[in-house]
Short mmCIF file of all heavy atoms in Angstrom, two decimals:
data_model
loop_
_atom_site.label_atom_id
_atom_site.label_comp_id
_atom_site.label_asym_id
_atom_site.label_seq_id
_atom_site.Cartn_x
_atom_site.Cartn_y
_atom_site.Cartn_z
N PRO A 222 -1.98 -3.57 -18.75
CA PRO A 222 -3.23 -3.48 -17.93
C PRO A 222 -3.29 -2.34 -16.93
O PRO A 222 -4.05 -2.22 -16.07
CB PRO A 222 -3.21 -4.70 -17.15
CG PRO A 222 -1.75 -5.13 -16.90
CD PRO A 222 -1.13 -4.62 -18.19
N HIS A 223 -2.37 -1.26 -17.15
CA HIS A 223 -2.39 -0.10 -16.30
C HIS A 223 -3.18 -0.31 -14.92
O HIS A 223 -4.31 -0.56 -14.96
CB HIS A 223 -2.81 1.14 -17.09
CG HIS A 223 -4.02 1.11 -17.80
ND1 HIS A 223 -4.10 1.11 -19.16
CD2 HIS A 223 -5.32 1.00 -17.41
CE1 HIS A 223 -5.28 1.02 -19.59
NE2 HIS A 223 -6.06 0.83 -18.52
N ILE A 224 -2.47 -0.07 -13.79
CA ILE A 224 -3.21 -0.05 -12.54
C ILE A 224 -4.35 0.95 -12.80
O ILE A 224 -4.08 2.10 -13.24
CB ILE A 224 -2.30 0.21 -11.43
CG1 ILE A 224 -2.96 -0.10 -10.02
CG2 ILE A 224 -1.73 1.70 -11.42
CD1 ILE A 224 -2.75 -1.42 -9.56
N ASN A 225 -5.58 0.48 -12.36
CA ASN A 225 -6.65 1.62 -12.51
C ASN A 225 -7.10 2.27 -11.43
O ASN A 225 -7.88 3.33 -11.51
CB ASN A 225 -7.84 0.90 -13.27
CG ASN A 225 -8.42 -0.27 -12.39
OD1 ASN A 225 -8.94 -0.16 -11.50
ND2 ASN A 225 -8.34 -1.48 -13.11
N HIS A 226 -6.59 1.80 -10.16
CA HIS A 226 -6.76 2.58 -9.01
C HIS A 226 -6.00 2.10 -7.83
O HIS A 226 -5.62 0.91 -7.81
CB HIS A 226 -8.34 2.72 -8.44
CG HIS A 226 -8.88 1.36 -7.98
ND1 HIS A 226 -9.54 0.60 -8.72
CD2 HIS A 226 -8.87 0.96 -6.77
CE1 HIS A 226 -9.89 -0.45 -7.98
NE2 HIS A 226 -9.59 -0.25 -6.75
N LEU A 227 -5.55 2.91 -6.83
CA LEU A 227 -5.01 2.58 -5.63
C LEU A 227 -5.71 3.01 -4.59
O LEU A 227 -6.61 4.11 -4.76
CB LEU A 227 -3.49 3.10 -5.46
CG LEU A 227 -2.47 2.48 -6.36
CD1 LEU A 227 -1.15 3.07 -6.09
CD2 LEU A 227 -2.29 1.05 -6.12
N THR A 228 -5.67 2.57 -3.30
CA THR A 228 -6.68 2.73 -2.27
C THR A 228 -6.00 2.91 -0.94
O THR A 228 -5.57 2.02 -0.29
CB THR A 228 -7.70 1.52 -2.19
OG1 THR A 228 -8.05 1.36 -3.44
CG2 THR A 228 -8.92 1.99 -1.37
N PRO A 229 -6.09 4.15 -0.39
CA PRO A 229 -5.55 4.25 1.08
C PRO A 229 -6.74 3.85 1.95
O PRO A 229 -7.93 3.83 1.66
CB PRO A 229 -5.32 5.81 1.25
CG PRO A 229 -6.16 6.42 0.19
CD PRO A 229 -6.29 5.36 -0.93
N ARG A 230 -6.39 3.57 3.24
CA ARG A 230 -7.51 3.18 4.19
C ARG A 230 -7.79 4.29 5.17
O ARG A 230 -6.89 4.95 5.69
CB ARG A 230 -6.85 1.97 4.93
CG ARG A 230 -7.93 1.40 6.09
CD ARG A 230 -7.26 0.43 6.95
NE ARG A 230 -8.13 0.03 8.06
CZ ARG A 230 -7.80 -0.76 9.16
NH1 ARG A 230 -6.60 -1.35 9.19
NH2 ARG A 230 -8.75 -1.05 10.08
N THR A 231 -9.02 4.55 5.28
CA THR A 231 -9.45 5.67 6.22
C THR A 231 -10.17 4.92 7.54
O THR A 231 -10.70 3.82 7.37
CB THR A 231 -10.42 6.48 5.61
OG1 THR A 231 -10.75 7.60 6.45
CG2 THR A 231 -11.69 5.92 5.08
N LEU A 232 -10.20 5.74 8.61
CA LEU A 232 -10.89 5.23 9.76
C LEU A 232 -12.29 5.88 9.78
O LEU A 232 -13.01 5.38 10.69
CB LEU A 232 -10.20 5.82 10.96
CG LEU A 232 -8.74 5.16 11.08
CD1 LEU A 232 -7.98 5.76 12.26
CD2 LEU A 232 -8.82 3.61 11.31
N ASP A 233 -12.60 6.71 8.91
CA ASP A 233 -13.99 7.24 8.82
C ASP A 233 -14.31 7.62 7.38
O ASP A 233 -14.03 8.72 6.94
CB ASP A 233 -14.19 8.50 9.70
CG ASP A 233 -15.78 8.89 9.88
OD1 ASP A 233 -16.55 8.72 8.90
OD2 ASP A 233 -16.05 9.29 10.92
N ILE A 234 -14.84 6.61 6.57
CA ILE A 234 -15.11 6.94 5.12
C ILE A 234 -16.15 8.01 4.86
O ILE A 234 -16.17 8.70 3.92
CB ILE A 234 -15.46 5.63 4.47
CG1 ILE A 234 -15.23 5.60 2.90
CG2 ILE A 234 -16.89 5.15 4.64
CD1 ILE A 234 -15.13 4.39 2.22
#
Side-chain angles (χ1 to χ4, degrees):
H223 48 251
I224 194 87
N225 60 65
H226 70 269
L227 285 181
T228 312
R230 178 184 175 189
T231 182
L232 297 173
D233 192 327
I234 200 166

